[in-house]
Every structure is written in C-alpha cells, then in structure tokens.
Amino acid sequence: MPLKNCQIINLPKISDPRGNLSFIEGGQHVPFDIQRVYYLYDVPGGSDRGSHAHKTLHQFIVAMSGSFDVVLDDGKEKKRFHLNRPYNGLYVYPMMWRDLDNFSSGAVCMVLASSHYSEDDYIRDYSQFLSLANKS
Ligand code: TYD
C-alpha cells in the first residue's frame, strides 16, 4: 500500500480561554475502531523508537506534548513527518516501516491502535519487510 495513504489528520479543536479541547472518535476521526492506546514518555534526548512494521495494524500517532518526527517507509519511498500539535495526528497504514526520532524534551507520543498487542503482527527485520512489501 503506497505511502500516500498515510497522512496527517486534523482533529477537532474546541478553543476555550480556560484551555483547549480535542477529541478522537474511532471510525469517525480515525478510519478504524480503536482497540488499544499506548504512549511513549520520558524519552531520553537522542533516543530512537520504532524500527519495525506491522502486518495488519492500523495506527494513529499524536504528539500530545512536545514534538518528534516519524519517518515512514513503504519499501519504495520514505517520508518524514514532524508532529508537534495535539490536534494533529498521523494515520499509519499497515506494512509501513516506521522510525521515530528527534524527540523534544518532555515529548509524549500517544498511539491509537486497531487491535490489541500481538508480537506476531510485528516485522522487526528490515530485509524481511522489504521482501514482503515488494511482494504485495
Ligand atoms: P515496541 O512496539 O517495540 O516499541 P516502539 O515501537 O515504541 O519502540 O514495544 C516495546 C516493548 O513493549 C516490547 O517488548 C513490547 C511491549 N509492548 C507491549 O507489551 N504492549 C504494547 O501495546 C506495546 C506497544 C508494546
């Protein structure tokens, strides 16, 4: 599946002098039902996360605080996305190799996922990813 399916989605933002509010509804603002939420925090400066792909998992990545980059690779091309707003998120289609880097101090990366955790869904070897991605 080409990289162009992976895009920044703008979330609703209810601006309020008491503090802004955004929300995400599964099947409405993200194109899948949300089965799991996880988050990365206390990421030391210079650390990288990711370095894997998922066979079937759909994900939506939001910088809840601070900023970081997500580099997506569909086996043919790569694209770097900078996430730095809690009302924007990146939709990541299955079979995308992803690397997360350039974390700011205090960054919180929240990920909404279409299914529960399963190690069987991971591809952690880049050459295996390339051979699977270029077959499909
Ligand atoms: P991993 O997905 O490799 O981290 P990242 O892509 O953010 O660098 O997960 C790191 C570890 O955490 C791995 O041992 C699996 C475990 N884990 C869970 O148990 N449940 C989860 O929902 C996730 C995302 C990871």
Side-chain angles (χ1 to χ4, degrees):
M1 194 51 80
L3 199 45
K4 66 173 161 33
N5 290 293
C6 300
Q7 289 182 343
I8 299 283
I9 294 175
N10 294 313
L11 298 167
K13 179 181 176 190
I14 314 291
S15 299
D16 191 309
R18 299 170 300 162
N20 299 331
L21 182 153
S22 288
F23 55 95
I24 307 170
E25 294 180 357
Q28 287 285 345
H29 306 103
V30 295
F32 55 86
D33 286 332
I34 299 161
Q35 290 278 326
R36 175 166 52 113
V37 179
Y38 67 91
Y39 31 94
L40 301 170
Y41 52 95
D42 293 345
V43 178
S47 237
D48 296 347
R49 302 288 314 214
S51 285
H52 60 257
H54 286 280
K55 295 172 194 162
T56 62
L57 192 71
H58 295 245
Q59 289 176 302
F60 185 69
I61 305 177
V62 183
M64 298 302 281
S65 182
S67 64
F68 52 85
D69 291 357
V70 183
V71 181
L72 296 182
D73 172 354
D74 66 1
K76 292 193 172 63
E77 56 171 332
K78 292 185 187 188
K79 190 168 175 187
R80 179 175 287 271
F81 297 86
H82 183 61
L83 295 180
N84 62 351
R85 296 279 183 263
Y87 52 85
N88 286 158
L90 176 64
Y91 173 50
V92 182
Y93 206 81
M95 286 304 289
M96 294 288 155
W97 191 267
R98 86 286 314 276
D99 289 299
L100 283 76
D101 61 17
N102 199 22
F103 283 88
S104 71
S105 145
V108 178
C109 167
M110 181 185 73
V111 184
L112 309 183
S114 62
S115 45
H116 291 182
Y117 172 74
S118 163
E119 188 59 35
D120 288 347
D121 192 63
Y122 281 72
I123 305 167
R124 294 193 184 270
D125 179 82
Y126 188 66
S127 50
Q128 188 196 357
F129 165 72
L130 283 183
S131 72
L132 286 170
N134 292 320
K135 243 187 254 164
S136 55

